[in-house]
Amino acid sequence: MPRYLHTFSYTKDAVRGLMAKPENRLEAIRPLFEAAGGKLIDGYYAFGDIDGVIITEFPSNVDVAALAMAVGGSDAIASLNTTVLIEMDEAVAAAEKAGKLTGVYRPPGE
């Protein structure tokens, strides 16, 4: 099943809610990921430009998009980005295929 990397930042109200009622948010959101057809693999809080990172598995991009819409539509998330992850073997296969495509692509203006 494809894996995805989600990065997010909370709104100020959500941060205040976490401070008022600290909880393990992975356990709080796990049922949402499962209801959307996916599996929450792991998650971490982060310092810097984002507040957290979550790794998931989903059967399709449609399932991931539905989850992103549901979460993004809440007032708790200020930003949410999702990146499709590919395994190393897939990356090697992509590089091999890209090598065969060299010279086929014509840049704009050429």
Side-chain angles (χ1 to χ4, degrees), residues 27-98:
E27 297 314 313
I29 64 173
R30 189 177 306 279
L32 172 65
F33 285 81
E34 291 170 356
K39 180 180 178 186
L40 194 156
I41 304 297
D42 212 346
Y44 306 90
Y45 278 115
F47 296 108
D49 294 337
I50 59 170
D51 292 327
V53 173
I54 297 173
I55 306 292
T56 63
E57 287 183 345
F58 278 91
S60 75
N61 289 335
V62 171
D63 297 318
V64 175
L67 175 99
M69 288 178 188
V71 172
S74 77
D75 291 330
I77 303 298
S79 70
L80 174 64
N81 296 294
T82 300
T83 302
V84 178
L85 301 175
I86 63 171
E87 296 180 11
M88 290 299 164
D89 289 344
E90 291 177 305
V92 170
E96 289 170 352
K97 187 169 185 174

